[in-house]
Amino acid sequence: MIITAAVFKFIVYFTPETINDEADVKSVSEVQLDSDALYMMPFNSDLTVAGQEVLFASSDSKTAQFDFVSFQNNKVLVRAEIFVDKDTLDSDPIKKLFHNIIYPNDNSLVRIGKTGWIHPGELATDMKFDELPSHSCQVKIRYTAINPLNKKVNAGTFDYNTMLYIVDFKGNLLDENGNWVKAE
């Protein structure tokens, strides 16, 4: 059974990815954005994105307000992925096991959430996580761009490190040690 699961996971990791657009997007022109609240990230002349500088994820719904913007002047499709240190994922030992089997030399990052592909001039407001870390921690947000005419051509990747705070929106925050404390 373990061998079958490992083969299945191997196939999933190494087959070409299906390019899916983000389902829940809004046009940037339809939304009133507070650009001062967003962190602007220019990659090159073809790509500038913006998003929340710090993420607050709901412990109940496993979502965070992300406000991921791909500006109208971009010439590429872009998506965001969120990675954490695998040691912060106490809740899913199976995911750690597969990560250790498939990536034995990479002991640091595991993807816990991603958006679909965002077109120029679109905004994705929320990000749904596959799972949340066991405590508030630093995360890496990786932005990947592809050519919209030939989706097999990578147009660049860049990373941004930020904090992910896990909250219950009842006044409590999961601290860096995994304890619930009153948010102030």
Side-chain angles (χ1 to χ4, degrees):
M1 187 168 168
I2 292 174
I3 293 172
T4 303
V7 168
F8 175 75
K9 204 61 164 172
F10 181 82
I11 291 169
V12 168
Y13 274 110
F14 292 109
T15 56
E17 181 178 0
T18 304
I19 305 297
N20 294 323
D21 291 342
E22 176 66 24
D24 187 25
V25 294
K26 298 175 184 169
S27 173
V28 172
S29 61
E30 296 172 1
V31 179
Q32 206 168 13
L33 284 175
D34 180 12
S35 60
D36 293 335
L38 299 178
Y39 185 68
M40 302 288 286
M41 293 165 275
F43 176 64
N44 58 25
S45 62
D46 294 338
L47 176 61
T48 299
V49 297
Q52 292 291 333
E53 191 166 356
V54 176
L55 299 177
F56 292 92
S58 168
S59 62
D60 296 331
S61 65
K62 293 185 182 176
T63 59
Q65 181 178 352
F66 191 45
D67 293 336
F68 171 39
V69 179
S70 176
F71 292 98
Q72 189 68 40
N73 60 345
N74 288 343
K75 297 179 178 108
V76 294
L77 304 179
V78 64
R79 78 161 174 204
E81 301 171 285
I82 296 187
F83 295 86
V84 295
D85 187 310
K86 75 175 183 177
D87 293 332
T88 66
L89 300 175
D90 293 336
S91 63
D92 194 353
I94 294 173
K95 191 169 193 173
K96 280 189 197 178
L97 173 68
F98 281 119
H99 184 82
N100 289 337
I101 292 171
I102 294 173
Y103 302 109
N105 297 328
D106 179 15
N107 60 359
S108 57
L109 299 177
V110 175
R111 185 173 76 181
I112 60 170
K114 69 175 182 166
T115 66
W117 294 94
I118 306 290
H119 293 262
E122 290 183 340
L123 161 77
T125 55
D126 296 327
M127 177 179 278
K128 177 86 172 147
F129 294 95
D130 299 329
E131 63 181 301
L132 289 175
S134 59
H135 57 276
S136 295
C137 61
Q138 187 164 350
V139 296
K140 180 181 296 266
I141 302 175
R142 177 168 294 150
Y143 295 95
T144 305
I146 58 172
N147 184 327
L149 301 176
N150 182 355
K151 295 180 179 176
K152 294 181 181 180
V153 176
N154 186 323
T157 300
F158 66 100
D159 296 339
Y160 167 63
N161 293 320
T162 189
M163 285 297 294
L164 171 67
Y165 293 101
I166 302 164
V167 296
D168 65 0
F169 290 106
K170 297 175 188 167
N172 298 313
L173 169 92
L174 198 60
D175 69 7
E176 288 83 10
N177 298 319
N179 302 315
W180 286 103
V181 296
K182 283 285 183 199
E184 296 178 23

